[in-house]
Amino acid sequence: MGTVTADTLDELVAALPGGSVVTDPVAIEKYREDFARDGSAGTPIAVVRPEDAGQVQTAVRWAAAHRVPVVPRGAGTGLSGGSSAVDGGITISLDRMRTVSIDPQSQVATVEPGALNVEVKRAAAEHGLWYPPDPSSFEICSIGGNLATNAGGLCCVKYGVTTDYVLGMDVVLADGTLVTLGGKQIKDVAGLSLLKLFVGSEGTLGIITRAVLRLIPLQTPKATLVGSFPTMAAAAEAVVAIRGTVRASMLELMDSTTINAVEDWRSHGLDRSAGALLVAQSDAPGESGAAEVALIEACCAAAGADEVFTTTDPDEADLFVSARRNAIHALEHRGSVLFEDVGVPVPRLPDLVKVIADIAERHALEIALVAHAGDGNTHPLIVYDAADPGSTDQARAAFREVMAAAIRLGGTITGEHGVGRAKRFALPDQLGDDVLALTWRIKDALDPHGILNPGAVLPPRA
Amino acid sequence: MGTVTADTLDELVAALPGGSVVTDPVAIEKYREDFARDGSAGTPIAVVRPEDAGQVQTAVRWAAAHRVPVVPRGAGTGLSGGSSAVDGGITISLDRMRTVSIDPQSQVATVEPGALNVEVKRAAAEHGLWYPPDPSSFEICSIGGNLATNAGGLCCVKYGVTTDYVLGMDVVLADGTLVTLGGKQIKDVAGLSLLKLFVGSEGTLGIITRAVLRLIPLQTPKATLVGSFPTMAAAAEAVVAIRGTVRASMLELMDSTTINAVEDWRSHGLDRSAGALLVAQSDAPGESGAAEVALIEACCAAAGADEVFTTTDPDEADLFVSARRNAIHALEHRGSVLFEDVGVPVPRLPDLVKVIADIAERHALEIALVAHAGDGNTHPLIVYDAADPGSTDQARAAFREVMAAAIRLGGTITGEHGVGRAKRFALPDQLGDDVLALTWRIKDALDPHGILNPGAVLPPRA
């Protein structure tokens, strides 16, 4: 990478409208890290806040000419350090590009990357439409970040993840070229699936400046079940059985540590004595929702649930769903947290639960476990004391061991958060040398000078 | 590309089990073309019929060493010439690799590429599970071809297309390396979305030797509606309204020409006087199916339907659905057929219908129109006399004009059949120079010597 002089940076300032290039160190500070706070963040020479794709192109062309690293950034709520700033680079923050427009006839939203997920949902709802993907952070995370990580959420057990809703995209490539992929057509197989390649690429292949997202009719009222189990293993058995019976629109699990952390933080009326809580929903229309919940209830009973509560009252249901969504906040009140995001084939969930308990015990750490259980995607939240080097080392070791266990069980180091910088060292263990080499071939073809989000996803070359 | 001597070919024969390399001209003949019969097919020097991935690797390594073109082939039911043989090349037919194994707990099928779509569906059904993607040809097309084209079908209006069900894949790359991507985990964002890049790549980036496909619980009994409309435009209006109201599990349209061609071929009890027939289904569970069909009925009435028939009897419903599925067969009894597959944003369907009628009139051709209307994906079937050069020219001109119209209406030249060789000349008109250049960068990175399915998808370099 080149070294940027003051004169060189002046070129960029001059090429963009006043106020677009932030160089004040205090103002820059809040763009350095994401929610992972993984210690990888450097200090950028500037933060660029473009108002449109043209300005993104200007910044990337400048960066390409001077070989300056470019880190794209949405709302900064990432949990893997994917938008950590790079020393000597620029961070392109998309927070000023946030228009959302709905085409109700085509059932699509055309969205700029800085728009929040919740803003897309709200705009769609005004037309009786729904944008399903719903990360727990949907009220504060940006669509750009969702696209960059191929974000999941709670409803994806039935409705799929971000990539399933992307119909079109504008992307600024590493040389500043703006390409438009796809459009408002629902099915399109003309040429390679480039659209899908950019989804989940975490800013390493291009910068998304606009997306066309598929919408569907608003979800019908939901029936909810909360099941209390003696152990996570029993709850996980129930999940496997439920998946074979109905298509639940939510299948979430919380372990005892999480339940108590949530209750300590703010009472949600959870049963503190439960070994595990399962929150399941059906959005089947009319009477079918209750019928599906009855089937779910039978699976819970067969798997040894201690107690089952069902409701069609949205407020009652929201209490349990928000308990699940608030798990991370609650845990953060107990110490620093390393956010895990491992996934396994669903029947291996009980094995993963056991291994994580062993790891927690061995390192004398609190590891709370919440899971998008219906997808086999778990978030072990490793609580530690950042001021204590011993505790920090234990936490880091546990973090590595959890990923290794997921790989051993035929799973993944990340189901929905992305690799970012926090997990890149473990990527080769999952992919193997040949897939890693294939990945580099794509990366080199699209970003020959390596200026796009260097250090994210891919570990240094062997 | 190199020229292969008899000695060189002997190397390949020696490296594979007896009977794997077919060189008899009569036997080769049936591997030359696919259902498009578009005239692009050359004559391969051999057809290789591997029994496992290792034999695919052997053949590809040999081809890479001698710079011999490799055309992968499934069941040969493609409609765009994607598996047309290449002069001097080898065709790798996957028709002997067709094991299907179901893991009911994980709800996945592990499938070799030569297995037919229907075989996967049947194997899944034995465990109460369902593999949704359902091209009209599902009884005769292979999963490998489905993956290569990202095939759609009738239920994808609610359940999505092939790519939405691919969790894992083994691929033999252009140098013979075998890579394994993904697995049985449902969510996985570790590294680039390479899996999705291979889906729909039509054999130009690698040869898929195994896939892990997601299954879901078996579809519940369906409620069916058949609506008769005075015009295709009125039926298309109904489709737009229905999509905003319910998530139908099928939304298919047939025009008057198709209705009469189907009835001429074999009576299905269709109303020959109808301007258009809409076949819609709901698979909402229990009473909700009938309730959704009632909502669909109201949309039909509002859009001016002449008559609406509803049924929950599967045999009655199958008559109409099979009429739709048989459209291509029926039309083939009227002459040679060019298979179109254009798609537009759903609200532009009425415009597309009108343009196609104009094109048919101008060229004095019969163009029958069937559509996966809920996805805006249409199959204009251009009937012509292959023995008459004038008729053939008119048909080819119409074929080009239909694609140009779809692009003008913000759509695609192919929604689900693939570009193959029949449509590659039109690809640049849809993608534009920059996206085409991006496509070549990926192609060159993965297949530097251009041995994989040369001539398919990508037009010759400018």
Side-chain angles (χ1 to χ4, degrees):
Chain A
M1 297 290 154
T3 310
V4 176
T5 64
D7 281 358
T8 311
L9 189 58
D10 284 349
E11 278 175 35
L12 178 63
V13 173
L16 290 169
S20 303
V21 182
V22 179
T23 53
D24 172 57
V26 176
I28 280 179
E29 185 58 31
K30 69 170 178 168
Y31 294 95
R32 285 184 57 246
E33 294 198 301
D34 66 16
F35 277 21
R37 287 178 282 272
D38 67 331
S40 70
T43 300
I45 52 170
V47 173
V48 180
R49 300 180 63 212
E51 294 163 313
D52 57 37
Q55 294 176 15
V56 175
Q57 289 183 276
T58 299
V60 173
R61 280 199 202 104
W62 173 89
H66 301 289
R67 303 282 192 268
V68 174
V70 175
V71 176
R73 179 187 180 90
T77 60
L79 294 171
S80 298
S83 60
S84 294
V86 169
D87 282 329
I90 60 171
T91 288
I92 298 186
S93 171
L94 285 316
D95 61 351
R96 296 208 292 181
M97 292 175 59
R98 54 198 299 166
T99 64
V100 176
S101 81
I102 306 294
D103 174 350
Q105 292 264 305
S106 296
Q107 298 190 321
V108 301
T110 302
V111 181
E112 286 186 317
L116 302 184
N117 179 301
V118 69
E119 293 169 343
V120 179
K121 284 197 201 314
R122 276 197 206 121
E126 285 175 24
H127 300 275
L129 295 169
W130 182 38
Y131 174 67
D134 61 345
S136 284
S137 58
F138 76 99
E139 288 167 304
I140 52 171
C141 63
S142 73
I143 285 291
N146 290 179
L147 292 161
T149 55
N150 189 19
L154 282 70
C155 74
C156 50
V157 62
K158 179 166 180 178
Y159 288 98
V161 293
T162 301
T163 195
D164 301 320
Y165 292 87
V166 184
L167 298 177
M169 205 185 260
D170 287 356
V171 187
V172 174
L173 304 179
D175 64 358
T177 306
L178 178 72
V179 293
T180 296
L181 305 169
K184 291 184 177 180
Q185 61 275 31
I186 293 172
K187 286 159 68 185
D188 187 350
V189 297
L192 299 178
S193 304
L194 300 174
L195 202 58
K196 301 279 188 183
L197 180 63
F198 285 101
V199 179
S201 64
E202 302 191 42
T204 63
L205 301 181
I207 300 178
I208 299 164
T209 56
R210 199 182 63 110
V212 182
L213 303 174
R214 182 176 190 170
L215 306 173
I216 61 176
L218 264 177
Q219 205 175 14
T220 44
K222 287 157 279 192
T224 302
L225 172 147
V226 183
S228 170
F229 289 81
T231 61
M232 280 291 275
E237 300 281 341
V239 167
V240 175
I242 293 164
R243 284 180 80 242
T245 310
V246 296
R247 296 198 80 198
S249 59
M250 184 185 295
L251 261 184
E252 295 288 322
L253 266 184
M254 284 180 274
D255 74 349
S256 160
T257 306
T258 308
I259 294 165
N260 284 285
V262 169
E263 286 299 304
D264 287 349
W265 174 62
R266 191 180 289 175
S267 177
H268 289 69
L270 306 183
D271 174 7
R272 281 179 179 273
S273 69
L277 270 188
L278 175 72
V279 183
Q281 290 192 323
S282 164
D283 66 350
E287 298 304 309
S288 308
E292 285 196 349
V293 160
L295 293 170
I296 293 171
E297 192 168 354
C299 293
C300 290
D306 291 318
E307 203 178 346
V308 169
F309 165 78
T310 66
T311 180
T312 54
D313 180 74
D315 293 332
E316 271 187 327
D318 273 356
L319 201 63
F320 294 101
V321 176
S322 66
R324 163 61 192 88
R325 285 197 195 273
N326 288 330
I328 288 181
H329 291 302
L331 266 298
E332 284 188 319
H333 283 79
R334 292 167 95 93
S336 294
V337 177
L338 284 184
F339 302 101
E340 261 297 357
D341 175 40
V342 293
V344 290
V346 180
R348 309 310 297 270
L349 259 182
D351 299 324
L352 183 66
V353 166
K354 191 178 171 315
V355 173
I356 290 169
D358 291 346
I359 292 170
E361 194 182 332
R362 192 151 19 84
H363 293 284
L365 286 164
E366 187 171 58
I367 303 184
L369 191 57
V370 294
H372 304 306
D375 287 323
N377 181 202
T378 70
H379 297 315
L381 304 169
I382 305 171
V383 183
Y384 68 105
D385 178 359
D388 173 356
S391 172
T392 305
D393 285 350
Q394 296 276 20
R396 287 191 184 145
F399 189 71
R400 285 193 298 271
E401 289 171 25
V402 169
M403 287 191 280
I407 294 171
R408 218 162 46 233
L409 292 167
T412 177
I413 59 170
T414 175
E416 57 179 15
H417 292 171
V419 175
R421 288 170 176 82
K423 300 197 149 192
R424 66 183 188 138
F425 67 87
L427 190 67
D429 297 337
Q430 181 176 335
L431 300 190
D433 291 346
D434 287 335
V435 176
L436 203 63
L438 180 61
T439 306
W440 273 114
R441 280 204 258 165
I442 305 268
K443 169 70 173 173
D444 289 340
L446 266 61
D447 180 21
H449 303 298
I451 64 166
L452 292 177
N453 214 2
V457 185
L458 285 155
R461 284 174 209 262
Chain B
M1 296 292 154
T3 309
V4 176
T5 64
D7 281 359
T8 311
L9 189 58
D10 284 348
E11 279 175 35
L12 178 64
V13 173
L16 290 168
S20 304
V21 181
V22 180
T23 53
D24 172 57
V26 176
I28 280 180
E29 185 59 30
K30 70 171 178 167
Y31 294 95
R32 285 186 56 248
E33 294 198 302
D34 65 17
F35 277 20
R37 288 178 282 272
D38 67 333
S40 69
T43 301
I45 52 170
V47 173
V48 180
R49 299 180 64 213
E51 294 164 312
D52 57 36
Q55 294 177 15
V56 175
Q57 288 182 276
T58 299
V60 173
R61 281 200 201 102
W62 173 88
H66 301 289
R67 303 279 193 271
V68 175
V70 176
V71 176
R73 180 186 180 91
T77 59
L79 294 171
S80 297
S83 60
S84 294
V86 169
D87 281 329
I90 60 171
T91 288
I92 298 185
S93 171
L94 287 314
D95 61 351
R96 295 210 291 180
M97 290 174 61
R98 53 199 300 164
T99 65
V100 176
S101 81
I102 306 294
D103 174 349
Q105 292 265 304
S106 297
Q107 299 190 323
V108 301
T110 302
V111 182
E112 286 187 319
L116 303 185
N117 179 300
V118 70
E119 293 169 344
V120 179
K121 284 196 200 318
R122 274 196 207 121
E126 283 175 24
H127 299 274
L129 295 169
W130 182 38
Y131 175 68
D134 62 343
S136 284
S137 57
F138 76 99
E139 288 167 304
I140 51 171
C141 63
S142 73
I143 285 292
N146 291 180
L147 292 162
T149 55
N150 188 16
L154 282 70
C155 74
C156 49
V157 63
K158 180 167 179 177
Y159 289 97
V161 295
T162 302
T163 194
D164 302 319
Y165 293 86
V166 185
L167 297 178
M169 205 186 261
D170 286 356
V171 187
V172 174
L173 304 179
D175 63 359
T177 306
L178 178 72
V179 293
T180 295
L181 305 169
K184 290 184 178 180
Q185 62 274 31
I186 293 172
K187 287 158 70 184
D188 188 350
V189 297
L192 298 178
S193 305
L194 299 173
L195 201 58
K196 301 279 188 184
L197 179 64
F198 285 102
V199 179
S201 64
E202 301 189 44
T204 63
L205 302 181
I207 299 179
I208 298 164
T209 57
R210 199 182 63 110
V212 182
L213 304 174
R214 182 177 190 168
L215 307 173
I216 60 176
L218 265 177
Q219 205 174 16
T220 45
K222 288 158 276 190
T224 302
L225 173 147
V226 183
S228 170
F229 289 81
T231 62
M232 280 292 274
E237 302 279 342
V239 167
V240 174
I242 293 163
R243 283 181 82 241
T245 311
V246 297
R247 296 198 79 198
S249 61
M250 185 185 294
L251 262 184
E252 295 288 322
L253 266 183
M254 283 180 272
D255 73 350
S256 160
T257 305
T258 308
I259 294 163
N260 284 285
V262 169
E263 286 300 302
D264 287 350
W265 174 62
R266 189 179 294 174
S267 178
H268 289 68
L270 307 183
D271 173 6
R272 282 180 178 272
S273 69
L277 270 189
L278 176 73
V279 183
Q281 289 192 324
S282 165
D283 67 351
E287 298 303 309
S288 308
E292 286 196 348
V293 159
L295 293 170
I296 294 171
E297 191 167 355
C299 293
C300 291
D306 290 321
E307 203 177 347
V308 170
F309 165 78
T310 65
T311 180
T312 53
D313 180 75
D315 293 331
E316 272 188 326
D318 274 356
L319 201 64
F320 294 102
V321 176
S322 67
R324 163 61 192 87
R325 287 198 194 271
N326 288 330
I328 288 181
H329 291 302
L331 265 298
E332 284 187 319
H333 284 79
R334 292 168 94 95
S336 295
V337 176
L338 285 184
F339 302 100
E340 261 297 357
D341 175 40
V342 293
V344 290
V346 180
R348 309 309 298 270
L349 259 183
D351 299 325
L352 182 66
V353 166
K354 192 178 171 314
V355 172
I356 290 169
D358 290 348
I359 293 170
E361 195 183 331
R362 193 151 19 84
H363 293 285
L365 287 164
E366 187 170 57
I367 304 185
L369 191 57
V370 293
H372 304 306
D375 287 324
N377 180 204
T378 71
H379 298 315
L381 304 170
I382 305 170
V383 183
Y384 68 104
D385 178 359
D388 172 357
S391 173
T392 305
D393 285 350
Q394 296 276 17
R396 288 190 183 145
F399 190 71
R400 285 193 298 270
E401 290 171 24
V402 169
M403 287 192 280
I407 294 170
R408 219 163 44 233
L409 291 167
T412 178
I413 59 172
T414 174
E416 58 180 14
H417 292 171
V419 174
R421 289 170 174 81
K423 300 196 150 193
R424 65 183 188 138
F425 66 87
L427 190 68
D429 297 336
Q430 179 176 335
L431 300 190
D433 291 344
D434 288 335
V435 176
L436 203 63
L438 180 61
T439 305
W440 273 114
R441 279 203 259 165
I442 305 266
K443 169 71 172 171
D444 290 339
L446 266 60
D447 180 21
H449 302 299
I451 64 166
L452 292 177
N453 215 0
V457 185
L458 285 155
R461 285 174 209 261

